[in-house]
Amino acid sequence: YFLGRRQGVLAAVVAVLMVTIYAVLNPGVFAPSMADTPELSLFLWGAFTILTAFVVGTLYDMKTTAVSDLKQAYEGILEILAKFIDAVDKYTNDHSVRVADLAAKIALVLNLPNEEIENIRVSGLLHDIGKVDLSLEVLRKASSLNDEEWAHVKTHTKKGRQLLSPVGGLLRDVVPLVECHHENFDGSGYQGMAGEDIPLGARILAVADAYDSMITDRPYRTGRTPVEAMSEVERCAGSQFDPVVVEAFKTVMKVQAERS
Ligand SMILES: [Fe+2]
């Protein structure tokens, strides 16, 4: 980590080592005119390789900075997008951010790899993105929805897929989670997928989304208390929700309760 440029220094060490070994085995090969001063020859070659390593290291640092800037911009844009999604359905203030946070914690308890946890967190931020394409009149209706309106709202998972699919790249693995976040473990959800056919991330999102929706006030009903919402989630383990995910959710809640 000398000079703070790991790859550069590694390259320098290896290069100097190779030159030294070669020079010791074949004195005079590099600079015949300086064969009588091998120290000077070695010094020049050493300086050259360290300079090369310095350049490599600097380029590496520049690339690392660019990647970190891009990542920061990406995360910032996602947060803005999540706030925009929540603003569309104005009664769900910061709902997506809370769902993302809870879903990531459940994924962590389930020991999922970091990359998968990040996909689940991002899908929490974007899970309702399809709602931006729905009628505001229906979304902001101050009373229960009729069947036709519900059918309209239910299209938001497919609309979410349509919106996110062309983005590809980093969001490729997020799309199926967004599309399946209203699937039920027993097959009674939007598309009728069941059990492990539903991506694990989507099963996690379903629990986080339902819990947060239950504790949030709506114009036509008051939110439940966290304890009530938790026992409702527990009651639906095996029917609406994956029991394994519900267990992880309970662990998250227990840890949070102990900390507060
Ligand atoms: Fe949704």
Side-chain angles (χ1 to χ4, degrees):
Y1 289 67
F2 179 63
L3 297 177
R5 297 178 170 87
R6 183 174 47 172
Q7 289 204 351
V9 173
L10 278 176
V13 170
V14 172
V16 169
L17 211 62
M18 283 170 66
V19 170
T20 308
I21 292 169
Y22 196 66
V24 167
L25 293 176
N26 306 281
V29 165
F30 294 109
S33 62
M34 291 190 283
D36 53 337
T37 54
E39 295 84 3
L40 182 63
S41 174
L42 279 178
F43 174 77
L44 287 174
W45 275 98
F48 173 72
T49 48
I50 285 175
L51 184 68
T52 308
F54 182 82
V55 172
V56 170
T58 303
L59 290 173
Y60 171 73
D61 272 3
M62 284 165 69
K63 190 183 160 202
T64 308
T65 308
V67 169
S68 142
D69 284 351
L70 268 177
K71 193 166 182 283
Q72 207 176 342
Y74 166 71
E75 284 176 357
I77 289 167
L78 284 179
E79 298 271 336
I80 293 169
L81 207 50
K83 288 196 181 297
F84 173 67
I85 296 164
D86 289 338
V88 170
D89 188 354
K90 66 178 180 179
Y91 301 111
T92 56
N93 196 23
D94 280 343
H95 165 73
S96 302
V97 175
R98 289 193 302 270
V99 169
D101 183 55
L102 178 55
K105 283 176 179 161
I106 296 173
L108 193 64
V109 170
L110 288 170
N111 278 323
L112 298 186
N114 285 344
E115 200 180 312
E116 213 171 325
I117 295 176
E118 180 57 14
N119 283 336
I120 290 168
R121 191 184 73 81
V122 172
S123 66
L125 291 174
L126 302 180
H127 71 284
D128 274 342
I129 194 168
K131 285 187 177 175
V132 301
D133 223 11
L134 299 185
S135 149
L136 284 181
E137 198 187 324
V138 173
L139 276 180
R140 296 180 173 177
K141 197 175 166 190
S143 57
S144 302
L145 304 179
N146 62 35
D147 288 350
E148 197 185 330
E149 289 162 340
W150 262 120
H152 180 60
V153 169
K154 282 181 172 179
T155 61
H156 78 276
T157 50
K158 282 207 157 50
K159 286 183 192 290
R161 186 197 63 202
Q162 287 160 9
L163 281 168
L164 294 176
S165 291
V167 180
L170 286 171
L171 295 180
R172 193 183 302 111
D173 296 329
V174 167
V175 177
L177 310 189
V178 168
E179 187 183 7
C180 299
H181 77 274
H182 282 294
E183 296 307 311
N184 292 341
F185 197 65
D186 61 5
S188 63
Y190 284 15
Q191 302 175 84
M193 290 169 80
E196 295 190 355
D197 284 347
I198 308 165
L200 176 58
R203 281 177 264 152
I204 292 173
L205 267 187
V207 170
D209 186 22
Y211 173 76
D212 193 77
S213 300
M214 278 192 273
I215 60 168
T216 309
D217 286 338
R218 290 269 157 171
Y220 48 88
R221 63 150 169 85
T222 313
R224 301 185 196 196
T225 64
V227 174
E228 286 169 347
M230 228 180 103
S231 60
E232 179 62 13
V233 169
E234 262 188 281
R235 192 184 66 80
C236 297
S239 54
Q240 189 174 349
F241 307 121
D242 179 347
V244 175
V245 174
V246 171
E247 278 308 307
F249 161 76
K250 281 163 64 183
T251 306
V252 171
M253 289 294 143
K254 202 174 147 204
V255 171
Q256 279 183 355
E258 282 167 3
R259 281 186 186 158
S260 59

